[in-house]
């Protein structure tokens, strides 16, 4: 476990093993740092985690005491480029939502031009159960999956996907869990959210299109989901919280269990997300990755609290380290589309890259890079790091 400091990371694992974190006020939280996943830290009460955060602040301040400065000498500061990052947590369950009304409308239009948004959308935070076993950390390549697809009225075939896509998403982790049979009232939800990461929900659109009815996404999604290794805690995000999405006149108000004055006032998050692509030819020509979409999380129809409350509303127990993802984060403009399905209208309108190449969907060798950051005058900018993955050719079968 480490804390990101500029281009370096502070090795909390080593510091704890040398007794440098120990102090009466943070004993439990310090013990949780001697681990290779965040779960033990996530399971603590928010107040214990906050005390560790304050201790780290004190250690890293410019005016830190001489003793504190010794604790954070270069011995414990490691270059991030020298470190292989792992998944941030042991994730028991992973659920993916569909919380952007812009994404839901754009995708809906491709399949149902006259009736893009299904009647449940404005009432229920729509989601499906994802696959935790194929969550992978940023940097690991993704192999083009095989699957069953059907072209028009032809017989279905089993082939490598021809419509591989990314989805620009935000993930958030459950801190303290909930018991089976108990719901999480929306007024208490924030105490159950640890922090956020970047998430790429790789999607094979041709496999998805053939398999999704009537039970939803399955093998078109479960071959890989990439996570950024860094988790930004909710405490650090406090200055960037904003009002929940302002619903259009005529939209139904959220049902009472999905609404609280506090969530409506501060449940949103002003966070920019960006997806870019680097093709092999661009890499050879030393071109930088091309930005394909830039959106803001404040445009999400449902807040993180509403998603979590809804998830536990039937008594489904949530466990520490569970991962919930927002669904593709898209905005109103064409520049704010979070996947190729939307951006190219299912491949009909290809995008042109700076190398002159065109893309309808991802090709072998393409690298997709997600980034995210919060920015506000008077506050320090917070970055989420990056979440990247390169496409490898399908395996021989
Ligand atoms: Ca998704």
């Amino acid at each position: 476990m480490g804390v990101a400091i500029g281009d370096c990371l502070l090795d909390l694992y080593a510091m704890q093993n040398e007794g440098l974190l120990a102090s009466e006020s943070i004993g439990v939280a310090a013990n949780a740092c001697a681990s290779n996943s965040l779960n033990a830290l996530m399971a603590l009460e928010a107040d214990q985690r906050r005390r560790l955060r304050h201790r780290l602040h004190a250690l890293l301040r410019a005016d830190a005491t001489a003793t504190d400065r010794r604790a954070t000498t270069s011995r414990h500061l490691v270059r991030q480029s020298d470190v292989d990052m792992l998944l941030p947590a042991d994730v028991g369950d992973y659920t993916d939502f569909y919380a952007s009304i812009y994404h839901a409308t754009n995708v809906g239009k491709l399949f149902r031009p006259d009736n893009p948004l299904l009647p449940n959308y404005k009432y229920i935070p729509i989601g499906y159960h994802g696959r935790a076993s194929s969550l992978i950390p940023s940097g690991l390549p993704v192999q083009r999956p095989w699957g069953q697809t059907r072209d028009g009225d032809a017989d279905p075939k089993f082939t490598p996907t021809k419509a591989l896509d990314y989805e620009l998403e935000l993930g958030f982790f459950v801190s303290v869990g909930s018991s089976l049979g108990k719901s999480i009232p929306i007024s208490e939800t924030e105490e159950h959210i640890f922090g956020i990461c970047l998430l790429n929900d790789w999607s094979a659109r041709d496999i998805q299109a053939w398999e999704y009815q009537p039970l939803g996404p399955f093998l078109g999604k479960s071959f890989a989901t990439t996570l950024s290794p860094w988790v930004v805690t909710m405490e650090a995000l406090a200055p960037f919280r904003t009002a929940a999405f302002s619903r259009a006149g005529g939209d139904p108000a959220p049902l009472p269990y999905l609404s609280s004055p506090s969530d409506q006032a501060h449940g949103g998050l002003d966070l920019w997300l960006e997806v870019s692509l680097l093709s092999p030819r661009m890499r050879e020509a030393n071109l930088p990755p091309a930005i394909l979409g830039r959106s803001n999380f404040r445009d999400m129809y449902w807040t993180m609290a509403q998603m979590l409350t809804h998830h536990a509303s039937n008594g489904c127990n949530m466990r520490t380290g569970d991962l919930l993802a927002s669904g593709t984060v898209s905005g109103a403009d064409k520049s704010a589309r979070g996947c190729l399905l939307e951006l190219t209208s299912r491949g009909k309108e290809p995008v042109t890259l700076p190398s002159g190449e065109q893309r309808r969907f991802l090709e072998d060798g393409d690298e997709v890079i997600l980034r995210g950051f919060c920015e506000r005058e008077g506050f320090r900018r917070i970055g989420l790091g990056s979440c990247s993955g390169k496409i490898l050719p399908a395996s021989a079968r």
Side-chain angles (χ1 to χ4, degrees), residues 301-363:
Y301 198 79
W302 298 103
T303 65
M304 288 184 269
Q306 286 171 323
M307 292 182 236
L308 181 55
T309 286
H310 182 66
H311 203 321
S313 64
N314 64 346
C316 168
N317 49 327
M318 306 303 298
R319 294 180 296 187
T320 296
D322 279 356
L323 176 66
L324 280 65
S326 62
T328 307
V329 183
S330 293
D333 300 333
K334 191 162 184 189
S335 65
R337 295 186 176 173
C339 63
L340 286 172
L341 178 71
E342 279 177 75
L343 188 61
T344 70
S345 294
R346 212 179 174 182
K348 283 199 290 289
E349 300 162 20
V351 287
T352 303
L353 301 175
S355 53
E357 301 164 277
Q358 290 198 320
R359 283 293 180 276
R360 299 168 194 279
F361 290 104
L362 296 171
E363 296 191 7

Side-chain angles (χ1 to χ4, degrees), residues 42-341:
M42 288 170 163
L44 299 177
E45 297 292 336
D47 191 48
Q48 291 172 316
R49 286 186 266 121
R50 227 167 273 138
R51 285 205 290 268
L52 173 64
R53 189 161 184 265
H54 291 154
R55 173 81 181 124
L56 293 172
H57 264 285
L59 284 172
L60 294 163
R61 282 170 66 101
D63 60 355
T65 65
T67 316
D68 283 353
R69 266 204 303 276
R70 275 195 296 278
T72 56
T73 49
S74 53
R75 199 154 52 96
H76 299 116
L77 278 171
V78 188
R79 273 183 194 287
Q80 286 191 27
S81 53
D82 291 341
V83 176
D84 287 327
M85 299 297 285
L86 307 174
L87 284 177
D90 294 325
V91 179
D93 278 293
Y94 154 52
T95 302
D96 195 18
F97 284 86
Y98 196 53
S100 164
I101 194 167
Y102 299 107
H103 172 68
T105 305
N106 289 336
V107 170
K109 265 184 202 155
L110 296 171
F111 297 93
R112 299 174 300 276
D114 303 328
N115 180 27
L117 214 56
L118 292 167
N120 56 8
Y121 190 83
K122 293 177 179 175
Y123 292 91
I124 302 180
I126 300 291
Y128 70 96
H129 287 289
R131 182 79 192 166
S133 69
S134 51
L135 294 170
I136 56 173
S138 175
L140 242 61
V142 172
Q143 196 165 47
R144 180 176 297 275
W146 285 71
Q148 196 178 129
T149 63
R150 186 183 196 192
D151 207 356
D153 293 331
D155 288 340
K157 287 191 181 114
F158 186 70
T159 65
T161 176
K162 293 186 185 72
L164 189 55
D165 201 354
Y166 55 80
E167 289 192 339
L168 171 62
E169 302 199 16
L170 196 71
F172 57 102
F173 288 96
V174 173
S175 54
V176 180
S178 61
S179 311
L180 186 66
K182 294 265 191 273
S183 60
I184 301 178
I186 190 149
S187 57
E188 295 169 17
T189 314
E190 295 276 339
E191 292 159 36
H192 294 269
I193 302 178
F194 177 78
I196 61 170
C197 68
L198 298 164
L199 184 147
N200 185 344
D201 175 24
W202 302 99
S203 301
R205 301 304 186 189
D206 43 3
I207 299 173
Q208 186 184 354
W210 174 228
E211 75 177 1
Y212 86 101
Q213 286 177 319
L215 289 186
F218 185 30
L219 303 185
K221 300 274 193 178
S222 61
F223 54 93
T225 305
T226 303
L227 294 185
S228 64
W230 295 109
V231 178
V232 178
T233 62
M234 297 313 284
E235 287 85 358
L237 293 169
F240 309 101
R241 301 308 295 272
T242 184
F245 185 79
S246 170
R247 293 185 166 209
D251 278 11
L255 290 177
Y257 81 100
L258 289 173
S259 187
S260 77
S262 161
D263 190 53
Q264 287 299 301
H266 314 290
L269 178 63
D270 184 359
L271 168 92
W272 286 99
L273 291 162
E274 192 177 276
V275 53
S276 50
L277 190 149
L278 185 66
S279 72
R281 204 184 294 174
M282 289 166 70
R283 204 175 295 121
E284 276 162 30
N286 274 323
L287 292 167
I291 294 172
L292 298 185
R294 184 180 280 154
S295 53
N296 195 299
F297 200 72
R298 65 178 173 231
D299 292 331
M300 300 303 270
Y301 198 79
W302 298 103
T303 65
M304 288 184 269
Q306 286 171 323
M307 292 182 236
L308 181 55
T309 286
H310 182 66
H311 203 321
S313 64
N314 64 346
C316 168
N317 49 327
M318 306 303 298
R319 294 180 296 187
T320 296
D322 279 356
L323 176 66
L324 280 65
S326 62
T328 307
V329 183
S330 293
D333 300 333
K334 191 162 184 189
S335 65
R337 295 186 176 173
C339 63
L340 286 172
L341 178 71

